[in-house]
Structure formats: structure tokens, C-alpha cells
Amino acid sequence: HPFAVIFCDFSIYCNVFKRYCENSLLGDKMKIAVVANEFYPIIGGGQNHLLNIYKRLVKNGHQVVIYTMYDREIKDVPRIEYYDGIRVERFKAFRMRKPFFYPFSFGLLSKLIKEDYDVLQFNCFDIVGFYGFFLKKLKKRKYFVHTHGFSWEAPTLLSKIFIPFFNFFIVKPTMKYADGVFCVSMHDKKEVEKIRKKNVYYVSTAVDTKPFKIRRKKRDKVIIGEIARINSVKNQITFVKAAAEVLKRHKNIEFLIAGSKEDGEYFNKVVNLIKGLDIEDYFRVYANVERGKIYDLYTKIDIYVMPSILEPGEPVSIIEAWAAGAAVITSSTGGPKYLVEEGVTGYHVDPLDHM
């Protein structure tokens, strides 16, 4: 299997932040507020990337708080908790329905107005990301934006009408007036540079490879899996359809799907499709899996497949699959196109063609 380990250059964050903090000298400790639409216990590439970045900054002596919002699918999570020394606070939010899911939180905005920080970092560029632009105008705050998959593409008819308007009035001002933009992929960087040319930084996805172990023991069956948020963008439907085609020729294969059940309706479609194709005996589906178990699931996979329809960022799951020694098959667009070298570290496929 191809094997690669990608380390995020954490010094970029520190050096850029310090450059813009008026009262900070090299070596000073900073108070950093991070705003993210979603965080643990939701498990996804963006959440893992954030945790790996900021636990390193905490280890270096900086104070980090992550402000996020409650998720409609995951219940009974505490308002305040800690992950590896990072304080996480959650706020109630109004969330729009499909296909946008853009949240809005008055409580979060009020908190950001009252508190003082050396750095405000927004890991979103929607309505909540627009708070940064608002706070810069209102209180002269320094703020940064971190993209985790940025695209001008509009996958549905409704979004084709709404997204250009939204981009012009929300996304562009948020990006343009930020003190800096960190991009998680070269695809993101090229997209952001259509808005601004200066202070745009490419910082590769942060992955802690220590928990992953490469399985050397051979098995009688090949296990093919997709570990990602279970939603229409990650495209588990095409994965299931492709699995059915493979099983027509090969029976010594098992398939695995695991991830946060972000969209309950879509999750049910995936499960019902597996039943409808009569391939239940060959599938294992895990929803809302704990992070510790995710490491074990990666170890079981021989081939990792990610047929995302829209994947402008660098998928953390691909790098995690490499860290576990799995071969990779992924989409031929967006971030994966830059991350995976065809025929060397993996293979590209059309995400809409299950054949």
C-alpha cells in the first residue's frame, strides 16, 4: 500500500498570528478564540484538523477556546467541556434547512463582542464567519479565516440561485477584509486568490499519526471502506452502488461505512439501498462512532474509497487511511486531485459513475 504522513506546519500559525498582534512579541503567549460551526463529538476532517492544530498551540503555552454550536443530530452534549486542554463552549443556533445548513447564533455573537482576544480565527466563511468582518468594523478586531474546503460551485438548482448572492454579500467581504486566510488545500488557495492576493497561506492538513497502526497480517477477505460524514456530499450512495457491482464478480469482499450521521434522512437512504440491493451480508455500517474506534476501523480497511461529489479541501480521512496503510481511491476533483498522485499514491474516479 502507498504510505504517506503529512505534518501541518504549526509555526505558520504562530508567526502569522504574532505578526498581527499589536502587543505580542516573538515568544509571547496568545489568547486565541476559534469559531467553528461544528466540533466534537461530530467527527470529520475539519474537526480533527482543528483539534490537532490547537492542542499543539496549547502545548506551546497559548490559551485556546473553541466556540461552536449545538448540532441537531447529536443530543445531550455539555455546554462546556475540554479536549486536550482546549476549552470548548457551545451555543444554541438557528440553522437553515437543506441545502445550506448555515447557522446563526446571537449568543455566540454576544460572547465575541464582550470578550477580548489576541486572535480571532473563524473556521467558517458563512454567516458566522461574517461575524469577523462585523467585529473588525465595530471593535477593530484582528481576525483570520481558515478554509476547510472552499468552492464557488453550486450543486443544486436552488443553490445556483442563492449561492451567488450569498457569496457576494457574505463570503467575499469575510475573506477580503480578514487579516489573513489559511487554506487547507492548494485548491482552496487558488479559489481564495480570486478574491485577494496577499496574506493567503497554504497549511497542509494536520493529522496525528501516532494512534494509527499498519496491519501486516493477511486476511481471507478484502475490506473496502469509506469513513466520512454520512451525507450527500460524501456520496455514500455511489459507494454502495459500486459495491453491488463489485460483488457480482467477487464475493471475498466486505464493505464498511462509518461516520457522523449528519443527515438522518440521507443515512436512511443509504441503509435502505443496501437492503434493496440485497447486500446486507457484505456491509457493516457504523453511525456516530467514537474517535477511539475510528482508529481501529481504519486498521481493518485494505482499500479506502472516498467518492465525494464536492471536495475542495484536503480530506483528512485520506491521510488517515494512508497512515493506516490502506490504498486510496478518491474523486478526481477539488482537493483530492492535488493531494493524491494518480497511480502513485492512489487513484481518481468520477464520483458520479458507480460503474
Side-chain angles (χ1 to χ4, degrees):
H1 298 309
F3 176 74
V5 178
I6 297 180
F7 295 98
C8 170
D9 188 351
F10 297 97
S11 64
I12 294 177
Y13 287 89
C14 292
N15 292 336
V16 172
F17 287 166
K18 288 176 184 300
R19 187 189 311 166
Y20 288 95
C21 292
E22 296 176 357
N23 299 322
S24 290
L25 301 173
L26 191 62
D28 285 356
K29 305 307 177 186
M30 294 175 288
K31 186 178 181 181
I32 304 169
V34 182
V35 179
N37 286 345
E38 299 167 324
F39 195 65
Y40 283 17
I42 293 175
I43 298 174
Q47 290 73 37
N48 296 334
H49 182 61
L50 288 181
L51 183 62
N52 286 319
I53 288 170
Y54 292 110
K55 72 181 183 182
R56 180 69 63 87
L57 292 176
V58 167
K59 188 176 180 180
N60 289 345
H62 303 289
Q63 182 181 342
V64 177
V65 58
I66 294 180
Y67 295 128
T68 187
M69 285 149 281
Y70 289 101
D71 184 83
R72 63 165 67 96
E73 291 289 342
I74 300 178
K75 312 298 182 184
D76 301 322
V77 291
R79 179 170 150 15
I80 298 175
E81 61 182 329
Y82 289 84
Y83 287 92
D84 294 314
I86 301 170
R87 180 183 173 92
V88 178
E89 292 189 33
R90 296 182 178 86
F91 294 85
K92 293 181 179 179
F94 167 77
R95 290 182 183 270
M96 297 183 186
R97 293 293 176 178
K98 292 189 296 185
F100 310 114
F101 294 109
Y102 298 135
F104 183 84
S105 173
F106 285 108
L108 173 56
L109 179 59
S110 176
K111 182 77 171 183
L112 293 173
I113 291 173
K114 292 176 182 178
E115 299 290 335
D116 288 321
Y117 307 95
D118 295 309
V119 175
L120 276 171
Q121 168 126 344
F122 290 86
N123 290 273
C124 43
F125 39 87
D126 48 25
I127 295 173
V128 172
F130 190 70
Y131 291 176
F133 172 78
F134 175 75
L135 290 167
K136 185 165 188 173
K137 296 297 182 181
L138 179 68
K139 301 194 71 175
K140 308 300 180 184
R141 293 280 182 82
K142 305 289 185 182
Y143 81 96
F144 298 83
V145 175
H146 193 144
T147 71
H148 292 271
F150 178 64
S151 176
W152 299 110
E153 296 179 40
T156 66
L157 178 61
L158 182 59
S159 60
K160 287 180 188 295
I161 298 171
F162 177 80
I163 284 181
F165 174 86
F166 185 81
N167 285 340
F168 184 81
F169 288 101
I170 301 294
V171 176
K172 284 189 175 181
T174 301
M175 295 285 192
K176 183 177 179 180
Y177 293 99
D179 292 281
V181 179
F182 299 103
C183 301
V184 78
S185 71
M186 285 304 299
H187 177 277
D188 276 18
K189 188 172 187 292
K190 290 180 179 181
E191 292 295 309
V192 172
E193 286 176 341
K194 294 177 182 178
I195 302 174
R196 56 183 293 159
K197 297 297 183 183
K198 293 183 178 180
N199 301 325
V200 181
Y201 308 92
Y202 165 54
V203 183
S204 182
T205 301
V207 173
D208 183 358
T209 60
K210 291 179 181 178
F212 296 93
K213 296 179 180 179
I214 300 177
R215 180 188 49 77
R216 300 296 184 186
K217 186 179 179 180
K218 292 184 178 180
R219 283 190 294 257
D220 294 332
K221 292 187 177 181
V222 174
I223 297 181
I224 303 174
E226 179 178 3
I227 299 176
R229 296 186 189 191
I230 302 174
N231 61 33
S232 59
V233 173
K234 300 302 181 183
N235 197 20
Q236 283 85 0
I237 291 289
T238 293
F239 177 71
V240 173
K241 290 179 179 179
E245 294 298 323
V246 171
L247 287 169
K248 291 177 181 178
R249 288 168 285 177
H250 306 281
K251 297 297 184 182
N252 64 330
I253 298 176
E254 290 183 0
F255 296 90
L256 181 154
I257 291 176
S260 297
K261 191 172 72 172
E262 188 176 78
D263 183 342
E265 182 181 341
Y266 185 81
F267 176 82
N268 291 335
K269 285 182 180 180
V270 172
V271 173
N272 290 334
L273 180 61
I274 294 171
K275 293 178 180 178
L277 292 171
D278 196 24
I279 53 177
E280 292 175 90
D281 292 342
Y282 298 92
F283 257 92
R284 287 176 285 171
V285 179
Y286 304 91
N288 299 330
V289 185
E290 294 181 359
R291 184 60 188 163
K293 190 171 182 179
I294 288 290
Y295 299 129
D296 295 332
L297 293 177
Y298 272 114
T299 304
K300 297 179 185 299
I301 291 175
D302 298 292
I303 302 173
Y304 180 79
V305 179
M306 189 177 193
S308 295
I309 295 174
L310 185 63
E311 191 64 60
E314 278 185 2
V316 168
S317 58
I318 290 179
I319 302 171
E320 291 176 335
W322 279 335
V328 169
I329 300 173
T330 187
S331 301
S332 56
T333 60
K337 180 175 67 176
Y338 295 94
L339 180 62
V340 176
E341 186 177 354
E342 176 69 20
V344 179
T345 57
Y347 296 92
H348 296 123
V349 294
D350 181 348
L352 298 178
D353 184 2
H354 68 274
M355 299 298 290

